[in-house]
Amino acid sequence: MHFQPMRDATTDNALATLMLPFESGLLSWPGDGAVLFLRARDGYPLHRRALPGLVCEQSYRPEAERLERSGLVLRNPEGADAGRLPLVMALPPRQRSESRALLARAVAACTPGGRVLACVPNNEGAKSAEDDLRRLAGPGGSLSKHKCRAFWTAPLDGPADAALLEQWLALDAVRPVAGGRLLSRPGVFAWDRIDAASVLLIEHLPGDLAGRTADLGAGIGILAQALLERCPGVTAIELYEAEARALELARRNLADARIPVGFHWHDVTGGVPSGFDTIVMNPPFHAQGRGDRPDIGRRFIQVAADALRPGGRLWMVANRHLPYEEALGAAFGTLRVHAQRDGFKVVEGEKARV
């Protein structure tokens, strides 16, 4: 079960606008060679005509699954060598450092005479992203449609500013955060700190959590690391995370774990295996858009309840304003609110013993 609607030309305006330069004749699809699509998403605009050589890259599992189901070629992990390319397309993210690093990767991957084409919604920094590409690659073209802006380079013979290219390629580098306790990088959730919700949950995690444990929506491994430090009775931890960039960081952050740790690139809304004694989670409250998505958190609660054995314990933190009480009450026999602070609440649920 997935909770992001299938995008099409109507709902994914950035994808629709990205493809307009080809549909309007402003740009031509390369006649030979691979075309790399960074942060690719599936949708009707990719299926209106043949796109020979298209290779997609997507680190977010729900979007990657959609690409796979549509029969599009998907490469992983990020950074795999595809050689030099006549066209690199991108849907840059909102986070500025990650966006600049992505545009730099695109320019660096172009063969002589190749182009970079990108698109960003107007309310997510389209003008800034276009300016960034021009700083890297020089003047190009653009068009606006569907409240988005597509922009592209002229045929390239290397970057316009080689020093800036190298500087921006390094913006996405893995680096220590939280006083050196964790490794992170721009673009993952709360990348440069331990977020306030996780801090609150960690403060209240009891030391008697034990047995086979899961961390749902594990991010870079913050909660799992806290369990390892605080709960000697935990015998194994399984991390489930939809963003591959975050999961790879979790592998590094938990490399010295004293117990078996599993890492799963997985969309939790699709369910996880059962039989866990303990589950911890700080569920996402939005997808890749800006609006609240309490349905995702409610689904996490149901998945956690299904995955726990009778008498198993859930410890979660959530925004206080999100309507999770009904879902929690329906899924768990016993509920306790342990803390409320800074707009968040820490809830413990115990699965009824049948």
Side-chain angles (χ1 to χ4, degrees):
M1 182 181 296
H2 302 290
F3 281 80
Q4 288 174 279
M6 182 66 180
R7 294 184 177 90
D8 56 23
T10 302
T11 59
D12 194 341
N13 290 329
L15 179 62
T17 306
L18 181 78
M19 301 306 294
L20 277 179
F22 305 112
E23 296 167 7
S24 63
L26 291 171
L27 295 178
S28 298
W29 192 263
D32 52 28
V35 173
L36 180 60
F37 186 3
L38 301 174
R39 298 292 192 275
R41 299 195 294 261
D42 186 39
Y44 179 64
L46 293 184
H47 303 280
R48 280 199 286 250
R49 49 168 285 180
L51 301 175
L54 180 64
V55 177
C56 300
E57 184 181 291
Q58 174 57 256
S59 59
Y60 184 55
R61 187 60 180 158
E63 296 290 359
E65 288 175 341
R66 292 190 183 99
L67 292 162
E68 290 172 333
R69 287 195 298 267
S70 289
L72 295 168
V73 177
L74 182 68
R75 76 168 197 176
N76 268 306
E78 176 187 279
D81 183 17
R84 303 295 289 276
L85 305 154
L87 174 65
V88 181
M89 303 192 299
L91 294 172
R94 288 194 299 268
Q95 209 284 336
R96 190 73 181 276
S97 293
E98 186 188 7
S99 173
R100 283 178 163 175
L102 188 76
L103 292 173
R105 279 187 58 209
V107 170
C110 276
T111 191
R115 292 182 190 265
V116 173
L117 166 67
C119 185
V120 176
N122 293 339
N123 63 358
E124 295 183 11
K127 189 64 172 67
S128 296
E130 182 181 10
D131 290 344
D132 285 344
L133 184 59
R134 285 183 174 176
R135 289 179 64 187
L136 284 173
S142 66
L143 64 79
S144 293
K145 188 78 172 180
H146 308 307
K147 299 182 179 179
C148 298
R149 190 169 185 85
F151 46 94
W152 57 90
T153 67
L156 292 173
D157 187 18
D161 188 331
L164 186 65
L165 179 81
E166 293 302 317
Q167 178 185 333
W168 284 6
L169 285 171
L171 288 176
D172 194 29
V174 174
R175 67 203 74 181
V177 298
R181 293 177 51 222
L182 295 161
L183 295 174
S184 188
R185 67 193 299 191
V188 301
F189 173 67
W191 78 270
D192 58 351
R193 64 195 185 281
I194 299 178
D195 64 287
S198 293
V199 168
L200 185 62
L201 179 54
I202 290 168
E203 286 178 6
H204 291 85
L205 282 178
D208 66 347
L209 296 177
R212 185 165 170 259
T213 300
D215 182 353
L216 305 186
I220 66 171
I222 291 169
L223 298 182
Q225 185 184 77
L227 287 168
L228 288 168
E229 294 171 352
R230 182 168 303 186
C231 304
V234 169
T235 57
I237 302 177
E238 303 295 331
L239 282 72
Y240 296 89
E241 170 55 43
E243 176 51 64
R245 289 160 50 84
L247 189 66
E248 183 55 35
L249 291 163
R251 289 181 188 273
R252 298 176 64 173
N253 288 327
L254 302 175
D256 296 329
R258 57 179 170 76
I259 59 175
V261 181
F263 301 91
H264 308 276
W265 185 39
H266 182 72
D267 177 7
V268 169
T269 67
V272 301
S274 60
F276 288 104
D277 301 290
T278 302
I279 290 178
V280 297
M281 65 185 192
N282 177 6
F285 56 91
H286 58 80
Q288 291 192 314
R290 293 175 178 270
D292 284 352
R293 290 287 305 277
D295 56 315
I296 298 176
R298 288 193 292 266
R299 178 59 183 159
F300 266 61
I301 291 166
Q302 185 59 59
V303 167
D306 292 343
L308 284 166
R309 62 165 181 78
R313 299 162 73 185
L314 167 70
W315 279 76
M316 69 172 285
V317 64
N319 294 59
R320 287 176 60 185
H321 75 276
L322 293 177
Y324 291 154
E325 282 71 20
E326 183 177 351
L328 284 163
F332 291 91
T334 304
L335 291 176
R336 302 178 188 88
V337 177
H338 287 273
Q340 298 190 64
R341 190 181 74 208
D342 300 329
F344 300 103
K345 55 192 173 189
V346 172
V347 180
E348 178 191 8
E350 182 175 324
K351 188 171 179 178
R353 299 176 186 271
V354 178

